[in-house]
Amino acid sequence: MTDLLAVRGVTKRFGGVVANHEISLQVPRGSIVGLIGPNGSGKTTLFNSIVGYHPIDAGSIVFDGREISRLRVPEIARLGMVRTFQQTRVFGKMSCLQNLLISVPHVHEGLAAMCTRQPPAVTERARQILRLASLEDHLDQRGADLSFGQQKLLEICMALMNEPRLLLLDEPTAGVNPVMIESLIALLRDINARLGITLLVIEHNMRVMMQLAGHVCCLAHGEVLAQGSPAQITTDRAVIEAYLGAQS
Ligand SMILES: Nc1ncnc2c1ncn2[C@@H]1O[C@H](COP(=O)(O)OP(=O)(O)OP(=O)(O)O)[C@@H](O)[C@H]1O
Ligand SMILES: [Mg+2]
């Protein structure tokens, strides 16, 4: 299995803070890789570096065989890499369907035009994606009227409108109730298995990680502390001391 994403020796500083220090991480094509670590360990910073949100200070990032570390967000998105945010970002006054229609990359159109002038194929794709997330009964419901867990599902649907090959998810189940967590796990598995999309997932919930990821990377203080299968990671002494021990 070849790597869809290869992060090699990435360092990112904010003034005197070294948020990421020489991080290396591989994401094989078709896989689900997990990223864990204590608060402030540099997980979101690594996502921001990967998707081109800010320049890195050292290292390289290769996506599908191409060096992307000097590209910016729109170019990287066009290559097929899309992320979701730690803070949920759905448009509360718009319907679920409209939220999806404004997520397609048409930057030159106004919001209203993007909702009304989309080709039928785009609208149909939006409906299919909402069906995949079991949100088809909520097409016309306002984003703000969905439960928090449904908003998390909707946000993933919005990301799918960009037809990613690699989807980066920043704590997709944070703050979500246990029933909706199961729906989110099912959706992520479907996205991976049925749509063939590779996933890199930041997640604090180890139980979710055990069910999803084939490989887990644990960061601490901006560095890679350990990598391995979920079973290896949950029994790794350094990971337990730095992270898992503090969770329970
Ligand atoms: N834009 C920024 N400017 C300055 N410092 C930053 C910036 N973004 C992140 N940091 C710092 O970098 C370090 C890593 O933060 P980051 O948000 O990547 O951690 P995290 O692992 O995602 O944490 P959490 O689990 O709380 O989301 C922290 O010390 C944080 O304060
Ligand atoms: Mg974070």
Side-chain angles (χ1 to χ4, degrees):
M1 199 157 42
T2 55
D3 292 328
L4 183 57
L5 176 73
V7 173
R8 299 189 186 119
V10 164
T11 293
K12 175 65 191 174
R13 297 186 200 91
F14 295 107
V17 177
V18 186
N20 288 159
H21 182 239
E22 294 181 4
I23 291 185
S24 293
L25 169 73
Q26 279 83 41
V27 181
R29 217 175 281 275
S31 68
I32 303 181
V33 171
L35 190 59
I36 62 171
N39 295 122
S41 57
K43 305 179 297 296
T44 297
T45 301
L46 185 62
F47 266 26
N48 287 336
S49 297
I50 292 170
V51 301
Y53 182 73
H54 52 213
I56 56 175
D57 294 299
S60 91
I61 303 171
V62 175
F63 178 61
D64 201 17
R66 177 174 174 179
E67 174 66 48
I68 58 162
S69 58
R70 284 185 189 78
L71 304 184
R72 305 313 304 261
V73 173
E75 295 164 295
I76 293 175
R78 270 196 294 277
L79 293 176
M81 195 197 297
V82 177
R83 63 92 62 90
T84 64
F85 291 88
Q86 197 164 346
Q87 261 77 40
T88 311
R89 296 186 176 190
V90 308
F91 296 93
K93 290 183 180 167
M94 291 186 168
S95 73
C96 288
L97 187 60
Q98 287 171 333
N99 266 281
L100 263 66
L101 295 180
I102 59 158
S103 300
V104 289
H106 280 156
V107 282
H108 302 300
E109 302 229 37
L111 286 184
M114 285 167 72
C115 288
T116 54
R117 280 201 236 125
Q118 291 290 3
V122 175
T123 308
E124 182 49 34
R125 188 152 59 84
R127 288 173 183 273
Q128 280 173 6
I129 290 171
L130 288 169
R131 212 170 294 137
L132 189 71
S134 303
L135 286 175
E136 68 267 36
D137 294 339
H138 302 272
L139 279 185
D140 299 319
Q141 200 171 336
R142 287 182 347 143
D145 295 335
L146 296 176
S147 73
F148 182 68
Q150 287 172 328
Q151 290 186 21
K152 289 285 203 187
L153 288 169
L154 183 62
E155 203 181 15
I156 295 170
C157 292
M158 291 162 70
L160 290 178
M161 288 300 286
N162 290 279
E163 300 186 85
R165 286 184 291 153
L166 175 63
L167 181 58
L168 296 90
L169 300 129
D170 198 343
E171 303 198 20
T173 73
V176 176
N177 73 52
V179 175
M180 284 306 289
I181 285 181
E182 295 309 316
S183 300
L184 279 157
I185 291 172
L187 176 61
L188 295 180
R189 280 193 167 152
D190 268 358
I191 287 171
N192 179 249
R194 288 168 56 181
L195 304 185
I197 297 172
T198 305
L199 304 179
L200 178 58
V201 187
I202 296 176
E203 181 59 62
H204 279 292
N205 185 333
M206 260 328 268
R207 210 181 54 75
V208 173
M209 211 45 121
M210 298 284 286
Q211 291 185 66
L212 272 181
H215 183 88
V216 177
C217 173
C218 180
L219 300 186
H221 305 293
E223 298 191 6
V224 175
L225 183 66
Q227 298 202 42
S229 68
Q232 285 169 331
I233 287 295
T234 46
T235 53
D236 185 286
R237 214 189 165 103
V239 175
I240 292 169
E241 275 174 23
Y243 180 52
L244 295 178
Q247 276 208 313
S248 48

